[in-house]
Amino acid sequence: MITKPLYLLIIAVWLVSSCSVNEVITTQVNELDVANIAPSEELLLDIGIVEFGNGVPENNDAVKTGIYEEVRSAEARYLPYHLKTTLQATGHWGAVRVIPSRNAFVDVVVNGVIKNSNGEFFTLQIKVEDSMGHQWYQKTYETQTGISSYDEYRDRINDPYQNVFNDIANDLHEFVAKIPVKRVKQIRQVSELQFFGVMAPLSFAQHLTNKEDGTVSIIRLPAVNDPTVVRLRQIRERDRLVIDTLNEHYANFYYGIAIPYEEWRKISREEQINYRQVKRSATMHTLLGIVVLAGSAALETDNSSHSSVRRMKRGMRHAGMSQGLETIFTGLTRRSEAKIHIESIKELSESFGTEAAPMVVTVEGEARRLTGTAAAQYESWRRLLKQIYQAETGFSNEIDVGIPSRNEQ
């Protein structure tokens, strides 16, 4: 005869072992809109993607929130670069670059803030505006990854969060396709004049006007044959080369962190599933705990005259304890694995944030070495450009600004 404690123990063990949470197997990824015919070059807008905001709350407690600042800091640099590669693949845009700060003058600027990223759920808030100060849109993108998102044999070009990147790319193209051709050209003209205005404010500050609503409009355009414009365009090309060189740094970080970051996301996703499973079966686990405590005292294994009953009771007790121990050890193992990947990401992230590889630019045969973070190097370069222009009143044919390169040291 099965006693009440034994009956409860049987039910509790069965409930815990059979309790599971439904999860996504395969995430539906929206198809990326790719250009069939190359657009006219004069209508191709350049895009600058600013490093994303990491979305880490103040006084963050990683144990409670599950948000590790070092991981988010890495994501803030990793994810913009993947968005860059996705946008480039569409063929709808000119140059697409990750920019270290908003101070880089480009036609279209994409800002993002990571709201949630735990390997399973990804939420990214995106704001897009053009050089004229017109906000294209602000939108929150979300996706839920599936088991196949981290499959070893999947196409590695597609990030587990690829659905978000495809949606952003499609929305951007859909928006720009509705903009009149005249305004697209104006966006390009304004970003160029903004650069000219910083380099040569006395000559070009009055070409643009700022309206009360925060937008910018063109008052007049410089003469086509203005020699100053020709010189400043040469300077701007060198400025773009510097940003391209800095993008090599983002690329090195992107590919260097890819493996530990994906492993962290995969393990983190499993932890999210397990957490929901535990939360969903909280009542059942509570029942099991009560039964184990009460049953240990009430369930006698030696008071039955039938050896088979005694063996069954002992087996049930063993099964209950084994179930609990297995859960504990599995959780500890996963946390240990996750910690290894977090430490690897932290090391790479700190290395990136502290100092980028030094960059060397040659001016009139003299090498200038730029050091510090990516943002610091770019600001140093921008000041150098302005100093040269002010000293020489523009680049003459004798002044040579060489192609930037990385220091071998």
Side-chain angles (χ1 to χ4, degrees):
M1 179 179 179
I2 300 178
T3 61
K4 185 176 180 180
L6 181 57
Y7 176 77
L8 289 176
L9 183 59
I10 294 172
I11 295 298
V13 171
W14 176 80
L15 287 173
V16 172
S17 62
S18 63
C19 181
S20 62
V21 173
N22 292 330
E23 58 179 307
V24 175
I25 303 300
T26 303
T27 301
Q28 181 64 39
V29 179
N30 295 328
E31 186 176 354
L32 185 65
D33 184 355
V34 179
N36 295 320
I37 302 175
S40 173
E41 187 173 348
E42 64 177 1
L43 299 179
L44 291 175
L45 297 176
D46 292 345
I47 294 182
I49 307 170
V50 185
E51 287 187 20
F52 290 163
N54 60 28
V56 177
E58 284 188 47
N59 304 317
N60 176 57
D61 185 342
V63 176
K64 294 180 180 179
T65 64
I67 300 174
Y68 295 91
E69 189 168 355
E70 52 271 15
V71 176
R72 281 292 180 87
S73 295
E75 289 181 306
R77 304 179 183 104
Y78 179 95
L79 298 174
Y81 193 85
H82 191 80
L83 178 57
K84 159 192 160 76
T85 63
T86 301
L87 291 174
Q88 283 180 324
T90 66
H92 292 306
W93 307 98
V96 183
R97 301 177 175 94
V98 178
I99 53 179
S101 72
R102 181 63 180 83
N103 293 332
F105 297 107
V106 293
D107 303 327
V108 181
V109 177
V110 177
N111 286 281
V113 178
I114 303 169
K115 293 297 185 180
N116 186 23
S117 177
N118 58 24
E120 182 184 16
F121 293 99
F122 177 51
T123 305
L124 180 65
Q125 187 178 73
I126 289 292
K127 180 181 179 181
V128 184
E129 59 184 353
D130 59 37
S131 61
M132 298 182 71
H134 293 117
Q135 183 173 308
W136 286 18
Y137 67 85
Q138 183 169 331
K139 184 176 179 180
T140 299
Y141 295 87
E142 298 178 312
T143 193
Q144 181 181 4
T145 63
I147 297 176
S148 62
S149 301
Y150 298 95
D151 190 274
E152 183 179 354
Y153 302 102
R154 77 174 199 279
D155 184 354
R156 294 285 172 168
I157 295 177
N158 292 324
D159 188 88
Y161 298 159
Q162 191 63 45
N163 196 44
V164 163
F165 300 119
N166 286 4
D167 286 348
I168 294 172
N170 293 343
D171 285 349
L172 280 170
H173 176 244
E174 182 180 351
F175 190 95
V176 76
K178 297 176 182 177
I179 298 178
V181 172
K182 180 180 179 181
R183 187 173 147 196
V184 171
K185 293 180 179 179
Q186 288 177 338
I187 291 172
R188 287 168 54 93
Q189 291 167 342
V190 168
S191 61
E192 181 178 71
L193 289 172
Q194 286 172 333
F195 182 85
F196 292 175
V198 169
M199 291 292 111
L202 294 179
S203 300
F204 293 95
Q206 304 303 316
H207 284 63
L208 299 174
T209 183
N210 296 316
K211 297 182 179 180
E212 292 183 0
D213 62 359
T215 60
V216 178
S217 63
I218 300 173
I219 297 177
R220 64 179 182 272
L221 293 172
V224 177
N225 58 350
D226 187 342
T228 304
V229 170
V230 175
R231 290 195 293 269
L232 285 170
R233 282 176 177 164
Q234 292 174 350
I235 296 174
R236 196 180 186 203
E237 283 306 308
R238 295 299 185 265
D239 184 61
R240 288 167 170 167
L241 284 173
V242 167
I243 298 177
D244 286 338
T245 304
L246 288 174
N247 267 243
E248 294 176 9
H249 181 51
Y250 284 100
N252 291 336
F253 177 79
Y254 174 81
Y255 292 109
I257 204 174
I259 293 177
Y261 176 50
E262 179 163 326
E263 287 300 315
W264 178 84
R265 283 193 289 185
K266 181 179 180 181
I267 292 174
S268 179
R269 179 186 177 279
E270 293 172 356
E271 284 296 311
Q272 297 303 315
I273 299 295
N274 292 336
Y275 173 75
R276 290 206 309 279
Q277 180 171 319
V278 170
K279 187 176 180 180
R280 185 176 179 180
S281 61
T283 302
M284 291 177 245
H285 278 274
T286 301
L287 174 61
L288 176 61
I290 294 172
V291 171
V292 169
L293 290 175
S296 297
L299 184 60
E300 297 294 338
T301 59
D302 299 320
N303 64 351
S304 175
S305 58
H306 298 284
S307 59
S308 59
V309 175
R310 289 198 300 271
R311 286 196 300 270
M312 182 176 65
K313 290 179 179 180
R314 290 168 182 166
M316 289 307 303
R317 175 184 290 177
H318 176 73
M321 297 303 293
S322 296
Q323 181 71 40
L325 289 172
E326 182 180 352
T327 302
I328 292 171
F329 286 128
T330 300
L332 290 174
T333 301
R334 286 200 180 99
R335 286 182 177 83
S336 177
E337 292 175 355
K339 186 176 181 181
I340 292 173
H341 297 301
I342 289 173
E343 288 300 320
S344 178
I345 292 170
K346 180 180 179 180
E347 182 180 346
L348 288 166
S349 183
E350 288 177 346
S351 174
F352 183 100
T354 303
E355 184 171 326
M359 180 165 51
V360 177
V361 293
T362 304
V363 181
E364 292 189 288
E366 180 183 351
R368 303 288 185 93
R369 190 170 183 265
L370 307 180
T371 60
T373 64
Q377 287 191 31
Y378 182 66
E379 290 304 316
S380 297
W381 164 248
R382 180 60 62 80
R383 288 194 297 270
L384 176 61
L385 277 183
K386 195 169 183 178
Q387 289 170 5
I388 294 172
Y389 182 85
Q390 291 173 343
E392 305 293 339
T393 316
F395 282 108
S396 66
N397 292 331
E398 288 74 31
I399 296 179
D400 174 42
V401 179
I403 297 175
S405 62
R406 286 293 180 200
N407 192 331
E408 293 182 358
Q409 296 182 351

